[in-house]
């Protein structure tokens, strides 16, 4: 495939890059740490750098780029951007996945080579133990000198096999816990931190696998690097120790909100030291307009007094207030006025329902119960992204490869013309079939087969009105065409039957639920994807997303009891919440639920974020 010279290469699909982004993109001989704040275009930068490396031949045809993200939707978003910017043959050499998918793929492929007893045969299930589960284990086996918190903290950092030479009770409990997870029941139980430890052992004990991995991936990207855990970083060091791999890590330490999940305290400094990396900071904010960026900078200064001021690239498209703390006396009053305000904004055409997000700190199901009736009375529906369908949350389901492939096909079947979905369906199908990009005859044959299926699907959707039974039939038709076996072969996350079924059942469940309440398949698909619904999600789930208007629900000292000047991670979370907004960001505070957080009000007041009576927000309408 023809390469472009480095001097002739230009950014693909965008108008241009800021000067510092060009510097970071052109740094290909040494590792680079790119610090980029909210709205800086971190994902787009990585997509452009991947395109540059592939199209110029810096990453030659026999090699691949490994991109590791923290969240599944971020990994897929990055992969899709590269697919749009590169010829198919080049884009197929870009492997974008989460840390969990990366380690699980290695485990599933090389599990028999792990030293005994950790190569025990048989199926395994993925578990997510809570602290009470660790406490129950300690209680059952009489480890009274070890706390559940201690055991929970040691599992992700354990070096296998467990060293029992010091005879400590916590080490004995840790070794016993691993034995019970492997041999305590008919099926092995593994959490993702345990899989991480098994893969580290695998790579330590198998230099041939380690060298093969290094030879395959001379270039590694790390997205949302600030969320990397100690265990994940430790595994990466093991995987690429002694190699010439060049890393590009992108992140923002002001958005480090995963400390509770083991994120590193000193991730940026450690990366610079271990990889002799050059640090480059991006200074543009492409998401928010100047007035919002000014408020963001005030919060950022509280986190880091030396933070550079960023340049707002977004355009302000609305008049009136762009941020305020709305104070209400009661929960009923709060829900009434919030629903009425959003309803008015939607009716006036200033914003679509799905461009409004209600961000909460926790308990999404409980908040949905509280606010949904008031919104429903005004013809607005709430999409609770944290709600589970089967064994998977809706937001996670929408980020699945299976979902993306099936929805693009359904969109083609439900509409007369959809170029974007046709392009996506072609890319997906040729990828599944491992079609040679240089073999035009093979591609034409496969695309003719795809086109014939779309015609068949369209006929079925015309013949069947959306309902529970029709949704199940249509889903089975999709699976028959794509093939379960093909999906499981192409995506490591689906190699185990249990993992595939979890996603498949979730997809069918949500499709049936949406079809039952829709008058057309297009309407059912809109509901499936949350179009026309007000998004409700936790702050942690909002990372990587953006909304025209954001309402932070519950800015009080009871809901956010841990938001104090001394807790940097909570302030980071607050910062992340604010930076999701493109045009407006408001905060809702209810006296019945808790008192105002005074120091936050004092922090924001000088940049125009004042506290007002929430019942007055309708006065100017």
């Amino acid at each position: 495939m023809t390469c472009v010279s480095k001097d002739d290469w230009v950014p693909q699909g965008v108008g241009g890059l800021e000067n510092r982004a060009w510097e970071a993109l052109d740094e290909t001989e040494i590792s680079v740490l790119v610090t980029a704040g909210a709205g800086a275009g971190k994902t787009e930068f990585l997509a452009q750098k991947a395109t540059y490396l592939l199209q110029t031949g810096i990453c030659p045809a026999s090699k691949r780029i490994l991109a590791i993200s923290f969240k599944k939707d971020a990994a897929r978003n990055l992969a899709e951007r590269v697919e749009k910017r590169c010829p198919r043959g080049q884009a197929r050499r870009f492997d974008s996945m989460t840390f969990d998918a990366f380690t699980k793929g290695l485990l599933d492929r090389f599990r028999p080579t792990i030293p005994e007893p950790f190569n025990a045969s048989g199926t395994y299930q993925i578990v997510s133990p809570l602290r009470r589960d660790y406490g129950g284990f300690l209680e059952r086996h009489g480890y009274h000198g070890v706390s559940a918190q201690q055991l929970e903290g040691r599992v992700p950092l354990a070096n296998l096999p467990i060293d029992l030479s010091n005879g400590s009770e916590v080490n004995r409990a840790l070794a016993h816990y691993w034995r019970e997870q492997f041999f305590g029941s008919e099926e092995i139980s593994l959490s993702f931190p345990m899989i991480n430890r098994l893969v580290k052992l695998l790579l330590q004990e198998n230099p041939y696998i380690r060298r093969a991995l290094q030879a395959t991936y001379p270039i590694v990207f790390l997205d949302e690097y600030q969320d990397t855990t100690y265990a994940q970083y430790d595994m990466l060091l093991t995987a690429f120790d002694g190699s010439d791999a060049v890393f590009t890590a992108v992140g923002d330490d002001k958005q480090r909100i995963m400390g509770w999940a083991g994120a590193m305290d000193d991730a940026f400094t450690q990366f610079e030291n271990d990889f002799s990396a050059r640090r480059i900071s991006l200074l543009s904010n492409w998401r928010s307009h100047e007035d919002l960026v000014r408020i963001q900078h005030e919060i950022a200064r509280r986190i880091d007094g030396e933070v550079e001021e960023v340049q707002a690239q977004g355009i302000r498209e609305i008049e009136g207030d762009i941020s305020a703390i709305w104070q209400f006396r009661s929960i009923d009053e709060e829900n009434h006025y919030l629903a009425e305000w959003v309803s008015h904004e939607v009716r006036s055409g200033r914003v679509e329902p799905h461009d409004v997000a209600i961000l909460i700190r926790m308990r999404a199901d409980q908040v949905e119960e509280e606010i949904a009736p008031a919104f429903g009375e005004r013809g607005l529906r709430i999409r609770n992204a944290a709600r589970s369908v089967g064994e998977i949350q809706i937001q996670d389901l929408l980020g699945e490869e299976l979902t993306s492939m099936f929805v693009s096909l359904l969109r083609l079947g439900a509409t007369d013309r959809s170029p974007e979905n046709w392009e996506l369906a072609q890319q997906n199908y040729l990828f599944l079939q491992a079609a040679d990009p240089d073999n035009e005859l093979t591609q034409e044959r496969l695309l003719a087969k795809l086109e014939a299926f779309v015609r068949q699907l369209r006929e079925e959707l015309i013949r069947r009105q959306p309902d529970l039974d029709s949704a199940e039939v249509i889903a089975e038709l999709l699976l028959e065409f794509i093939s379960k076996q093909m999906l499981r072969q192409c995506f490591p996350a689906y190699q185990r039957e249990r993992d595939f079924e979890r996603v498949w059942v979730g997809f069918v469940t949500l499709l049936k639920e949406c079809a039952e309440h829709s008058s057309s398949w297009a309407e059912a698909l809109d509901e499936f994807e949350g179009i026309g619904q007000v998004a409700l999600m936790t702050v942690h789930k909002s990372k990587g997303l953006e909304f025209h208007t954001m309402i932070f629900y519950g800015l009080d000292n009871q809901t956010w009891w841990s938001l104090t000047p001394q807790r940097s991670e909570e302030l980071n979370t607050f910062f992340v919440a604010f930076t999701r907004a493109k045009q407006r960001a408001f905060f809702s505070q209810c006296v019945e639920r808790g008192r105002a957080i005074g120091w936050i009000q004092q922090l924001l007041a000088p940049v125009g974020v004042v506290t007002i009576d929430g019942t007055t927000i309708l006065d100017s309408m």
Side-chain angles (χ1 to χ4, degrees), residues 88-124:
R88 189 174 294 117
Q90 292 175 343
R92 285 177 61 180
R93 293 191 288 114
F94 183 75
D95 296 328
S96 181
M97 61 191 80
T98 63
F99 263 111
D100 288 343
F102 177 60
T103 52
K104 184 179 181 299
L106 289 173
L107 176 68
D108 291 342
R109 186 175 179 184
F110 300 112
R111 185 174 161 199
T113 68
I114 301 176
E116 295 181 350
F118 302 108
N119 61 351
S121 60
T123 60
Y124 70 89

Side-chain angles (χ1 to χ4, degrees), residues 173-220:
L174 186 62
H176 192 168
Y177 180 80
W178 274 86
R179 287 197 305 274
E180 180 166 288
Q181 296 300 98
F182 267 82
F183 307 111
S185 61
E186 293 183 2
E187 189 172 35
I188 297 169
S189 296
L190 297 176
S191 63
F192 278 113
M194 293 177 73
I195 290 175
N196 176 288
R197 298 293 83 191
L198 289 169
V199 169
K200 180 187 177 182
L201 177 63
L202 163 74
L203 296 172
Q204 280 179 329
E205 299 298 321
N206 293 272
Y208 295 109
I209 296 175
R210 189 169 65 249
R211 285 198 291 268
L213 185 67
Q214 295 170 359
T216 302
Y217 296 117
I219 299 169
V220 181

Side-chain angles (χ1 to χ4, degrees), residues 93-368:
R93 293 191 288 114
F94 183 75
D95 296 328
S96 181
M97 61 191 80
T98 63
F99 263 111
D100 288 343
F102 177 60
T103 52
K104 184 179 181 299
L106 289 173
L107 176 68
D108 291 342
R109 186 175 179 184
F110 300 112
R111 185 174 161 199
T113 68
I114 301 176
E116 295 181 350
F118 302 108
N119 61 351
S121 60
T123 60
Y124 70 89
Q125 63 173 331
I126 302 290
V127 296
S128 301
L130 302 174
R131 184 165 296 175
R132 63 173 177 265
D133 299 313
Y134 293 108
F137 165 83
L138 294 169
E139 182 67 26
R140 284 197 309 275
H141 299 289
Y143 291 105
H144 302 300
V146 182
S147 70
Q149 185 175 2
Q150 280 180 297
L151 180 59
E152 181 182 33
R154 290 290 295 273
V155 169
L157 300 176
N159 286 316
L160 302 176
I162 308 298
D163 181 11
L164 295 175
S165 60
N166 64 12
S168 71
E169 186 177 12
V170 67
N171 268 19
R172 292 198 307 274
L174 186 62
H176 192 168
Y177 180 80
W178 274 86
R179 287 197 305 274
E180 180 166 288
Q181 296 300 98
F182 267 82
F183 307 111
S185 61
E186 293 183 2
E187 189 172 35
I188 297 169
S189 296
L190 297 176
S191 63
F192 278 113
M194 293 177 73
I195 290 175
N196 176 288
R197 298 293 83 191
L198 289 169
V199 169
K200 180 187 177 182
L201 177 63
L202 163 74
L203 296 172
Q204 280 179 329
E205 299 298 321
N206 293 272
Y208 295 109
I209 296 175
R210 189 169 65 249
R211 285 198 291 268
L213 185 67
Q214 295 170 359
T216 302
Y217 296 117
I219 299 169
V220 181
F221 291 174
L222 302 174
D223 192 14
E224 297 290 357
Y225 175 67
Q226 75 278 350
D227 292 329
T228 303
T229 67
Y230 288 102
Q232 291 166 343
Y233 190 75
D234 182 38
M235 188 275 297
L236 276 178
L237 290 178
T238 302
F240 291 95
D241 182 40
S243 77
D244 295 324
V246 177
F247 282 71
T248 297
V250 178
D252 178 13
D253 50 3
K254 297 184 299 301
Q255 295 190 56
R256 179 185 173 275
I257 64 173
M258 302 300 290
W260 59 272
M264 300 167 66
D265 292 324
D266 56 349
F268 286 38
T269 301
Q270 195 158 338
F271 181 86
E272 288 178 291
N273 294 337
D274 289 338
F275 294 96
S276 301
R278 176 188 175 192
R279 184 186 291 223
I280 299 175
S281 298
L282 305 187
L283 293 180
S284 291
N285 183 326
W286 300 91
R287 177 186 301 146
S288 306
H289 55 75
E290 184 177 2
D291 296 325
L292 274 180
V293 168
R294 187 182 304 113
I295 303 170
Q296 293 171 12
H297 184 65
E298 195 65 26
I299 305 172
R301 284 179 53 204
R302 186 62 179 253
I303 298 171
D304 177 4
E306 299 181 1
V307 65
E308 292 184 82
E309 192 163 356
V310 302
Q311 300 163 2
Q313 305 291 342
I315 304 299
R316 178 165 174 166
E317 300 172 349
I318 57 171
E319 298 179 355
D321 291 341
I322 53 95
S323 188
I325 300 172
W326 296 338
Q327 190 173 74
F328 301 96
R329 288 178 290 274
S330 69
I331 294 174
D332 287 342
E333 181 181 87
E334 179 181 34
N335 294 336
H336 166 79
Y337 279 95
L338 289 183
E340 188 63 34
W341 185 87
V342 173
S343 175
H344 181 273
E345 293 298 293
V346 170
R347 292 196 310 271
S348 67
R350 277 192 283 269
V351 66
E352 295 292 334
H354 51 267
D355 283 332
V356 178
I358 298 176
L359 298 190
I360 57 175
R361 188 170 181 270
M362 59 182 66
R363 300 190 181 96
D365 291 344
Q366 177 181 325
V367 175
E368 181 186 16

Side-chain angles (χ1 to χ4, degrees), residues 482-498:
I482 293 295
S483 148
K484 178 196 294 190
Q485 181 181 1
M486 191 71 68
L487 286 167
R488 294 182 62 192
Q489 285 177 350
C490 291
F491 299 110
Y494 301 152
Q495 286 181 359
R496 291 193 321 139
E497 178 75 19
R498 179 192 293 269

Side-chain angles (χ1 to χ4, degrees), residues 286-565:
W286 300 91
R287 177 186 301 146
S288 306
H289 55 75
E290 184 177 2
D291 296 325
L292 274 180
V293 168
R294 187 182 304 113
I295 303 170
Q296 293 171 12
H297 184 65
E298 195 65 26
I299 305 172
R301 284 179 53 204
R302 186 62 179 253
I303 298 171
D304 177 4
E306 299 181 1
V307 65
E308 292 184 82
E309 192 163 356
V310 302
Q311 300 163 2
Q313 305 291 342
I315 304 299
R316 178 165 174 166
E317 300 172 349
I318 57 171
E319 298 179 355
D321 291 341
I322 53 95
S323 188
I325 300 172
W326 296 338
Q327 190 173 74
F328 301 96
R329 288 178 290 274
S330 69
I331 294 174
D332 287 342
E333 181 181 87
E334 179 181 34
N335 294 336
H336 166 79
Y337 279 95
L338 289 183
E340 188 63 34
W341 185 87
V342 173
S343 175
H344 181 273
E345 293 298 293
V346 170
R347 292 196 310 271
S348 67
R350 277 192 283 269
V351 66
E352 295 292 334
H354 51 267
D355 283 332
V356 178
I358 298 176
L359 298 190
I360 57 175
R361 188 170 181 270
M362 59 182 66
R363 300 190 181 96
D365 291 344
Q366 177 181 325
V367 175
E368 181 186 16
E369 289 183 8
E370 291 180 3
I371 70 174
F375 279 76
E377 289 172 4
R378 293 158 179 83
L380 293 171
R381 297 187 60 192
I382 297 292
R383 161 54 69 94
N384 177 4
R387 182 169 65 84
S388 292
V389 282
E391 297 180 2
I392 187 170
Q393 290 187 351
I394 289 176
Q395 187 168 347
D396 294 334
L397 174 66
L398 295 181
E400 289 287 342
E401 288 88 357
L402 179 151
T403 303
S404 175
M405 291 189 171
F406 286 2
V407 168
S408 64
L409 289 171
L410 285 170
R411 286 289 185 189
L412 287 173
T415 55
D416 293 332
R417 181 175 172 78
S418 180
E420 182 178 345
N421 283 296
W422 175 242
E423 181 181 356
L424 181 58
Q426 289 182 85
Q427 291 175 351
N428 289 336
Y429 192 57
L430 292 175
F431 167 76
L432 286 172
Q433 297 292 332
D436 183 349
D438 297 322
N439 190 325
E440 293 184 7
L441 287 176
T442 298
Q443 291 195 44
E444 287 178 6
R445 177 178 57 81
L446 290 172
L447 292 180
K449 186 178 178 181
L450 174 63
E451 191 170 357
F453 173 74
V454 171
R455 285 197 299 269
Q456 177 192 358
L457 178 62
R458 184 169 295 154
E459 291 171 0
E460 286 293 327
L461 292 177
I462 292 173
R463 190 165 64 88
R464 297 175 180 275
Q465 287 299 306
D467 57 35
L468 291 173
D469 293 335
S470 295
E472 191 158 6
V473 170
I474 295 299
E476 291 289 350
L477 189 65
L478 291 167
L479 187 60
E480 181 181 349
F481 175 70
I482 293 295
S483 148
K484 178 196 294 190
Q485 181 181 1
M486 191 71 68
L487 286 167
R488 294 182 62 192
Q489 285 177 350
C490 291
F491 299 110
Y494 301 152
Q495 286 181 359
R496 291 193 321 139
E497 178 75 19
R498 179 192 293 269
D499 298 327
F500 175 83
E501 287 297 323
R502 173 174 167 268
V503 177
W504 166 245
V505 170
F507 175 84
V508 175
T509 301
L510 185 58
L511 185 63
K512 290 169 66 175
E513 179 183 303
C514 296
E516 185 180 15
H517 302 102
S518 301
S519 58
S520 71
W521 286 105
E523 182 182 329
L525 291 172
D526 284 349
E527 183 171 342
F528 188 98
E529 296 187 275
I531 297 173
Q533 301 172 54
V534 177
L536 170 69
M537 62 184 63
T538 64
V539 170
H540 287 88
K541 284 289 187 180
S542 75
K543 281 199 65 178
L545 303 177
E546 59 185 27
F547 300 93
H548 177 282
T549 299
M550 185 275 289
I551 301 173
F552 191 88
Y553 187 87
L555 186 66
D556 60 75
N557 66 346
Q558 294 299 312
T559 303
W560 211 319
W561 55 269
S562 54
L563 182 56
T564 67

